[in-house]
Amino acid sequence: MKKKRGKKKLNFIIPFCVTLVFVILTGLFVMFSYLWIVEDANPGAANTQLIKEDILRLDEALEFERELVGNPEKEDEENENIKDINPERGEEYMLEENVFVKGAASEDCITITFAGDILFDSGYAIMSTLLQRGGDISSGIAPELIEEMKNSDIMMVNNEFPYSDRGEPTPEKQFTFRAKPSSVSYLQDLGVDIVSLANNHAYDYGEEALIDTLQVLKDAEIHYVGAGIDASEASRPFYYIVNDMKIAFISATQVERNDNPDTKEATDTSPGVFRCWNGENLLQTVRETKENSDFVIVYVHWGTENEEEIDWAQDKQSRELVEAGADLIVGDHPHILQKVDIINGVPVFYSMGNFWFNSRTMDTGLLKVTISDKELKSCQFLPCLQNNCKTTLLTGTEKDRVLDIMRTMSENVNIDADGYCLFK
């Protein structure tokens, strides 16, 4: 009797389990069929939210791009957001428009420093001595001076040579310079942001070396003005947007005052420098730049070597540049310091001299300016000395000696004990 009841119980469980499995499978089939039908009828429905988010971020990026040139009121953080959307967009924009959004140490003002001529050619004393000392830039430029340069928001020098392993020296030219491409790292060590290539040595090894120079600087993320692959690039200003201000840098060279110079002028189809011996192109560039900038800086290669007095062409062009819209003029090429002047409220530093260029003992300096509310607030000349292939920041009686020299030359400017220029 027990076996008979067990058999009846077993006969009941098996059909029940089979029915339960069938019901579950049927339910799963119906559910997946429904989802498949919905997805097929509305492709991408599952990604709708992601698509909406992508469109929103793209709109924000395009809006930033539209505002950047005409109304530069975006912070560095927003520039980083563009790079998040497209990592190449920031670099692409910089190359196309020569605009770079930069942070500042202070929200109240921008600090910009300028130095004169530098040379990294290892065939000449200044660089070969550095290499003999171990190659650290601090053995050629004093650490306290490097700190001043790095602490500025924007730092500029005259890069008076090409970076290249190619090309041939200009025939019959007395001095021709060329530096190893790897030496561009010294600019980074010094905190240099932008260089002028508008000088009479940028083309010393011809077109190939100049083209290499442009690429080396781009790869090192060092900006440049005053030379280019063609006339459009050579004459093009570079803009920094800092603290809601758009600061423009323009550079050109007056030197080699003849119709067929060794240093070739850029044309529509060939590389070269931006020449301003016939200065109308430079003046027109300044006028146009003034219309879309808050502050225009012109860094110009001019004057007569080793002459303390400015020449007639410097005097003439400085006045024309002020009339065209320059807010600050900084000069180089004479290899020695020249006077500071004021023209209709615009400071002109005619020559910053050699900063780190040769083995001679020479007075030099670092110019530090501050800009706030789209106006120049201060100009400070920091006396330096190039001696024994090293440039140092002067203090004490040596500092006073150089400041006295600058005071004697600069009749229209009062220079205080700290080097601040108070314009009459």
Side-chain angles (χ1 to χ4, degrees), residues 397 399-410 415:
T397 57
K399 173 184 176 182
D400 294 338
R401 177 187 64 80
V402 176
L403 288 177
D404 282 341
I405 292 172
M406 295 299 292
R407 291 182 186 113
T408 301
M409 290 191 293
S410 309
I415 303 176

Side-chain angles (χ1 to χ4, degrees), residues 102 105 111 113 137 143-155 185-193 366:
K102 200 174 191 302
T111 302
T113 51
I137 193 64
E144 62 271 19
L145 191 50
I146 295 175
E147 184 178 3
E148 280 284 355
M149 298 164 74
K150 283 189 167 183
N151 285 342
S152 61
D153 299 315
I154 302 171
M155 170 65 203
S185 63
Y186 288 117
L187 293 181
Q188 297 166 324
D189 294 340
L190 294 171
V192 174
D193 297 285
L366 192 68

Side-chain angles (χ1 to χ4, degrees), residues 159-406:
N159 195 112
E160 192 141 358
F161 57 91
Y163 296 91
S164 182
D165 293 315
R166 301 194 299 162
E168 296 294 331
T170 301
E172 299 182 8
K173 190 170 185 179
Q174 183 179 9
F175 298 105
T176 53
F177 305 139
R178 181 178 63 173
K180 293 289 184 183
S182 59
S183 66
V184 74
S185 63
Y186 288 117
L187 293 181
Q188 297 166 324
D189 294 340
L190 294 171
V192 174
D193 297 285
I194 184 169
V195 299
S196 169
L197 295 176
N199 55 63
N200 56 306
H201 289 287
Y203 206 88
D204 277 359
Y205 277 73
E207 180 176 307
E208 289 181 327
L210 178 58
I211 292 172
D212 288 347
T213 300
L214 305 179
Q215 190 59 53
V216 166
L217 290 168
K218 288 175 183 177
D219 291 343
E221 298 183 348
I222 303 292
H223 309 137
Y224 59 83
V225 283
I229 198 69
D230 55 25
S232 176
E233 183 182 21
S235 63
R236 187 168 54 176
F238 194 92
Y239 302 93
Y240 287 96
I241 297 176
V242 192
N243 286 357
D244 296 341
M245 285 181 280
K246 190 177 182 183
I247 313 298
F249 289 77
I250 302 169
S251 187
T253 175
Q254 248 192 29
V255 178
E256 295 179 86
R257 298 168 176 178
N258 56 68
D259 293 333
N260 188 30
D262 290 331
T263 305
K264 301 304 180 185
E265 181 176 14
T267 70
D268 291 341
T269 58
S270 63
V273 298
F274 185 24
R275 282 175 52 81
C276 63
W277 176 233
N278 178 356
E280 184 53 40
N281 286 342
L282 173 60
L283 298 178
Q284 184 60 31
T285 298
V286 173
R287 294 185 196 104
E288 293 172 355
T289 304
K290 183 66 174 178
E291 293 178 358
N292 59 63
S293 304
D294 297 312
F295 197 90
V296 177
I297 298 167
V298 180
Y299 193 103
V300 59
H301 207 69
W302 57 7
T304 305
E305 289 188 7
N306 302 312
E307 290 291 334
E308 184 177 287
E309 293 292 325
I310 68 169
D311 63 31
W312 68 270
Q314 288 174 281
D315 182 63
K316 174 178 180 291
Q317 196 160 75
S318 61
R319 299 179 186 283
E320 292 172 341
L321 288 170
V322 170
E323 184 177 351
D327 296 297
L328 173 67
I329 301 170
V330 181
D332 66 332
H333 175 67
H335 296 297
I336 61 173
L337 294 172
Q338 291 183 329
K339 72 176 182 178
V340 185
D341 206 352
I342 185 82
I343 301 175
N344 295 335
V346 175
V348 183
F349 291 78
Y350 279 95
S351 175
M352 293 301 298
N354 286 346
F355 185 66
W356 192 71
F357 193 78
N358 56 24
S359 59
R360 295 173 60 187
T361 297
M362 305 187 70
D363 296 328
T364 182
L366 192 68
L367 171 61
K368 181 162 68 172
V369 304
T370 59
I371 304 171
S372 181
D373 297 326
K374 304 178 182 179
E375 294 182 355
L376 187 68
K377 296 300 181 183
S378 69
C379 292
Q380 184 183 19
F381 179 81
L382 302 175
C384 301
L385 183 71
Q386 178 191 264
N387 179 45
N388 192 25
C389 295
K390 185 171 185 177
T391 302
T392 56
L393 185 63
L394 294 178
T395 60
T397 57
E398 276 293 283
K399 173 184 176 182
D400 294 338
R401 177 187 64 80
V402 176
L403 288 177
D404 282 341
I405 292 172
M406 295 299 292

Side-chain angles (χ1 to χ4, degrees), residues 25-56:
L25 291 175
T26 301
L28 290 173
F29 175 81
V30 171
M31 181 179 69
F32 283 115
S33 297
Y34 174 80
L35 291 176
W36 180 82
I37 292 169
V38 170
E39 178 70 15
D40 187 62
N42 187 14
N47 294 320
T48 299
Q49 185 60 34
L50 291 176
I51 292 171
K52 288 180 178 179
E53 291 175 359
D54 287 344
I55 292 172
L56 179 61

